[in-house]
Structure formats: structure tokens, C-alpha cells
Amino acid sequence: MSLLTVGSVAFDALETPFGKTDKIIGGAATYITLSASYFTSENNLVAVVGDDFPQSMIDILKDHGVNTEGLEIRQGEKTFFWSGKYHHDMNTRDTVEVQLNVMGSFDPVIPDAYQNCEFLMLGNTAPSIQKQVIERLTNRPKLIMLDTMNFWMDSAWDDLLEVLKLVDVVTINDEEARQLSGESALVKAAAKIGAMGPKTVIIKKGEHGALLFHGDHVFFAPALPLEEVFDPTGAGDTFAGGFIGYLASTGDVSFNNMKRGIIYGSAMASFCVEKFGAERLFNLSKQEINDRVMQFVSLSAFELQ
Amino acid sequence: MSLLTVGSVAFDALETPFGKTDKIIGGAATYITLSASYFTSENNLVAVVGDDFPQSMIDILKDHGVNTEGLEIRQGEKTFFWSGKYHHDMNTRDTVEVQLNVMGSFDPVIPDAYQNCEFLMLGNTAPSIQKQVIERLTNRPKLIMLDTMNFWMDSAWDDLLEVLKLVDVVTINDEEARQLSGESALVKAAAKIGAMGPKTVIIKKGEHGALLFHGDHVFFAPALPLEEVFDPTGAGDTFAGGFIGYLASTGDVSFNNMKRGIIYGSAMASFCVEKFGAERLFNLSKQEINDRVMQFVSLSAFELQ
């Protein structure tokens, strides 16, 4: 089934203990669509960039089967830019610089060809924009998933609560889940967030894995213990893209299938962190992905006699 | 098969965000033997206490089938005392007071009836004492497991390296694994620690679960997401006791059986944190333990189609 992803396509400049980049391609929607492209061929993007955005990168998206009809290229303006520096433990980072540029006036236009998409992924942007996307769709998708972050809890609380009422799945990291719910235990946090709207709550714990909550059901997937984590940028978006891409490819939104989605998403995220930016997502083979998924099976499978 | 546990039996005074205790029963060997008692009936203890240690507590150990012949009660001396205060997140704590008392001159005597034990659990004490225990056994046990902590890395590095050469399994938390190995990635840390002696390395990550490394094999067990964590004291020892108690009950030290041991240990630890001190371990039923283990199955099981 078809997937629509709305979110940022951007330039990032990154510094980790392993090195430093100049402007490279980043943005939530870049990671999401690239990751999802390994699962679904109906992969539609709505985003905005400036005229400084390289055609070569748009071609990479196209080569991955991403429909870029909804990628607005605004003449005379610049692409969203973020730069960040990771601390030694790679779990925390400081934002060095943000230039909103075109994202400051992002007005997501949904091409006619994208209407009737069955799966909608709202990458991390202003909650008011996320809500606008839902309102601009003629028919409600089968599943709407939303990613957000603490910045919007601090700056757009009411808007965030509004859009949360409209979605099926929310992905959020553990600290943000605690902030949003006011609960420190993640089981309680997930229950409170679920009561805000999304029936399914995914709490991302980075190197400590991810929890999937749906009603009384809970599932946990570990992160793969890796020898090297080169750059965590985009891991959460890559995870979300693998998850919803897998759901879209199967058309199955049952809890059991979401568990598989979490495993595929975790496998994709484990690739993402192996190189700077989105580079590792450019040329993966089906075999590599399947081998990685089998590592997750081996990591967490046990039999009681 | 029979299990011998050597370690501290002590008084603890605890403060968590949920409350505060006067002196209650604590000590690594207390948690280990109580936890193991739910799996093995041949449960032998070597420890030392002062004459202030209550008979009622010794009776609780005996009621759990723990052989206390090796529990030395030193007249005119006081029991080891530790008091600690947990921070709000329950993941970190400060030591408020330590009175070594009888532990300052602990000289572990192995009763004849304990010779020929097949499983040996060396609870966290000075590495020189742990080594002495091994030397005082007539026959090397089938499996020797050792727990240690950062304190000994700071104060008894050479002794620790000596005893590590002699053991089969080490349990250690993630930060300690990093300190011991000088590696920040846990995969690399486990490999380096394995090269120091123990073929099996268990890295405890508290609320984030536990990793089992053996050669090229790695297994991960999550911690159960709990609504309330009341007091984490003893959770690591309870985990170790469940693990080695399960191994001793089955006599099977294969990697697949160790995976089951990790699950049983994690289940026991999830009970431990529900009440202050060791209280939750006093009266568990087989049914409660089996139900808890099934929660782990449900938490981590998935099928790829």
C-alpha cells in the first residue's frame, strides 16, 4: 500500500568523536523515505527545499523509488540547515546552529496523485503543520504515525495535544515520553500518552532499544549491540521509516505485524549509525537487511526448555 | 546440583523517593541465596555476621532451604552495615555510610559438607577473598561465577585481574564493564573482559536489561517495564542468584541454557525491586515466578511471518 511522508529535507553538519562533516544531506523525511524504500515501492514525499539543494540528492531519492512530485523547490531561498555536535558517549548532543530558511514557511501541498495514500508518516515538524497535512487529505489514511520532540512540548504544547488526538501511532524517545506524560515509569507514560489519542505508542530508547505499547500489549526490541556507532543522526527517523515502510508493504496493522515492523525498523537504524548521515542507506541489499534481521532473532530468541 | 554462595550478609538502611528504612537485612549473599532457593534445594552459604544479627533472619534463610552451616557468627562483633540513598531516577545512588565491622576480617571457611559443590557463586567482596575461596575448594567446581564492582577496580586492580583468570562467568554492570576494559562499546568491552579469563560475560544494564556474551554468541534480555520500582537494592544479586540457581537446578551450562538462566534471573530481579530490601523474595510462589517468566516471553517474542 502507498506511503506518504511529510517532513524536513535538509542540510546537516555533524561532529562526532569520530569525525566531522561539512554540509551533508539530512532531514527527517530523507531518512524516513530512504529507509521505507527498502520495503514499499509506493513512497511519496512532501517537503520543501531551497534552490541550493543538489539535484544529485533528489536523484538518489528517485533512484530509491521515492516520488518527489511533492518536493517543492523554492527559488531564491535556502534549504533548512542544522548542525550538531555529539558528546563522547554519543547519547547526547548539542545543537550548534539552526537556520530554518524554507522550513520557516513550510506550507505542505499534497499533490492529487498522493491523495488516497493508506499510510501517512508525519516526520518531526511543527504540530500545526502536521495537523494541516491531515486536514488536507481527502480521505483519512488507514494509519497515521507521528514523530515529535521536546522542542514542540516547550513551544507548541496546545498544538501538539490537538494533533495527537488525530493520529494512530506516535514515536517519541524515553525522555520526551516522560516530559509529555509527567510520568517517570515508561509503562505509565505510555498509558497517559495513549489516552491523549494515539492507540499505539512507540518509545525509542536509542542504544537501549524500543518499546511498543498498544492497549495491554507491550513488546520490546533491543538495539543491536554494535562495535562502532559512528553517527547516531537520523537513527530514530530511519527506525520510523523501516517500521511504517514494512507496515505499508504488508498492509497489516495488527499488533503482531507491528512487532515485526519494530524489528525491521531497528535493523534499518542499526545500519544508519554505521556511517555519517544517511550514507549507509544509499546502497543496502535485501540480503544485508535479512541478515541483520536474523541477528535480531538470534539476539533475543530463547526457548523455555 | 549443589550451589555454594560466598558473600556478604549485612544490614542495610535505604532511602528511595518512596520511603526510608531503618536497618533491614541485606548483603549480596542474602539476595543470591534467597533468589537461588526458588530453583535449587542444595544451597550452601558461607558468610560472616556479628552477634547482633537476628536469629529470625537466619531462620528465614533456613526456611528457604539455605544451608547456614558456613555462616559464621562472630561473638562481640557487629554485622557489616551499608546505608545508601537513591536519586530521583532510581538509577544512581550515594553511599551514606559504610561500617565494615566483621567483613573487615572475613576469612571464609568452607565446611567439609560444602566441598564438591558443582556451582560456585562469588558475591561481590574483595577479589583476594574471592580467590581464597577458590583455593580452599578441594575440587574445582563445574562453574565459577563472580560478581564485582568499580570499588575493587579502583582499590584492588591486580587482585581482581588474578581472580578473573580463575572464573567461568563474570557479572558486571555496563559502566563497570567500560571501566574494566577501557572500551565504550559493550561488544568490545565484553570481548576484552572475556580475554581476561571468564569465557562468559554478563553485562547488567539495570532497567535496560542484560547482555550475555560467550565467544561469538550474544543474547539480550530486557528488564520488565514496571509501573513502580520501589527499591533497586539487591536487584543485581537477585538476578545472579536466579541465573546460577537455575543453572545448578538443571546442571546444564550450555549457552542455550544460560539464556534461560538470564530470563529466570531477570524475572527474579523484577520481583526484588517491588518492595524494600529482600522482602519480596521471602514468599514467592512457583506460579508467580512462572507467570513472570511468561511476561518475558510475551515481551520479547516475535515471528517473522
Side-chain angles (χ1 to χ4, degrees), chain B residues 174-250:
Chain B
D174 45 357
E175 278 321 302
E176 291 159 353
R178 291 184 170 110
Q179 182 176 348
L180 183 57
S181 65
E183 293 286 348
S184 62
L186 296 180
V187 182
K188 287 187 177 176
K192 275 211 178 173
I193 295 168
M196 295 174 185
K199 289 207 167 55
T200 302
V201 177
I202 298 173
I203 299 182
K204 300 174 288 184
K205 306 202 298 168
E207 64 164 326
H208 300 303
L211 283 158
L212 167 70
F213 294 92
H214 180 89
D216 289 339
H217 299 291
V218 52
F219 173 66
F220 174 84
L224 209 62
L226 295 168
E227 295 219 354
E228 303 282 4
V229 171
F230 201 75
D231 169 24
T233 309
D237 295 315
T238 303
F239 168 82
F243 174 80
I244 199 161
Y246 179 76
L247 293 195
S249 75
T250 54

Side-chain angles (χ1 to χ4, degrees), chain A residues 95-294:
Chain A
T95 291
V96 177
E97 191 181 351
V98 178
Q99 295 174 14
L100 270 185
N101 299 329
V102 291
M103 278 301 278
S105 57
F106 182 30
D107 182 22
V109 176
I110 318 291
D112 288 344
Y114 290 11
Q115 293 290 352
N116 304 317
C117 66
E118 285 108 341
F119 288 79
L120 171 60
M121 175 70 217
L122 297 165
N124 172 42
T125 48
S128 58
I129 294 177
Q130 293 175 317
K131 184 165 174 244
Q132 216 166 36
V133 171
I134 298 172
E135 289 165 350
R136 289 178 180 180
L137 291 172
T138 317
N139 300 309
R140 188 191 192 280
K142 177 175 177 146
L143 184 131
I144 302 178
M145 175 158 156
L146 175 140
D147 183 44
T148 190
M149 69 183 293
N150 51 2
F151 179 80
W152 307 113
M153 297 172 204
D154 298 331
S155 64
W157 179 260
D158 292 343
D159 289 349
L160 180 58
L161 291 190
E162 277 304 306
V163 72
L164 279 175
K165 288 180 194 161
L166 307 177
V167 309
D168 303 298
V169 184
V170 64
T171 58
I172 192 168
N173 78 29
D174 45 358
E175 278 320 302
E176 290 159 355
R178 292 185 169 109
Q179 181 176 350
L180 183 57
S181 65
E183 294 286 348
S184 62
L186 296 179
V187 182
K188 287 187 177 176
K192 275 210 177 172
I193 295 167
M196 294 174 184
K199 289 206 168 53
T200 302
V201 177
I202 298 173
I203 299 183
K204 300 173 288 183
K205 306 202 299 170
E207 63 164 325
H208 300 303
L211 282 157
L212 168 70
F213 295 92
H214 180 90
D216 289 338
H217 299 291
V218 52
F219 173 66
F220 175 84
L224 208 63
L226 295 169
E227 295 219 352
E228 303 281 6
V229 171
F230 200 75
D231 169 24
T233 308
D237 295 315
T238 303
F239 167 84
F243 174 81
I244 199 161
Y246 179 77
L247 292 194
S249 74
T250 55
D252 175 355
V253 297
S254 68
F255 185 73
N256 271 337
N257 203 49
M258 283 194 186
K259 295 205 284 188
R260 287 188 276 272
I262 294 279
I263 297 293
Y264 280 99
S266 301
M268 295 306 291
S270 76
F271 286 118
C272 176
V273 302
E274 291 179 345
K275 291 198 176 178
F276 265 126
E279 194 186 339
R280 192 71 178 89
L281 304 178
F282 292 169
N283 286 299
L284 285 169
S285 69
K286 288 269 174 205
Q287 189 59 49
E288 280 177 294
I289 294 170
N290 286 339
D291 288 350
R292 192 59 65 97
V293 166
M294 291 317 292

Side-chain angles (χ1 to χ4, degrees), chain B residues 18-93:
Chain B
F18 298 102
K20 199 173 164 164
T21 68
D22 288 329
K23 276 187 183 180
I24 59 171
I25 304 306
T30 305
Y31 288 98
I32 293 165
T33 52
L34 282 174
S35 182
S37 75
Y38 290 95
F39 302 96
T40 178
S41 54
E42 299 174 82
N43 203 349
N44 303 304
L45 171 65
V46 165
V48 60
V49 293
D51 62 7
D52 55 346
F53 197 76
Q55 183 61 39
S56 60
M57 188 56 215
I58 298 175
D59 290 342
I60 287 179
L61 292 173
K62 283 182 177 170
D63 289 348
H64 282 79
V66 178
N67 186 344
T68 59
E69 186 190 340
L71 177 65
E72 182 190 358
I73 302 172
R74 235 184 270 159
Q75 298 302 317
E77 292 192 46
K78 283 184 154 181
T79 301
F80 176 46
F81 171 70
W82 174 81
S83 80
K85 184 175 173 174
Y86 287 84
H87 298 182
H88 186 67
D89 70 359
M90 301 287 256
N91 288 323
T92 48
R93 69 185 184 192

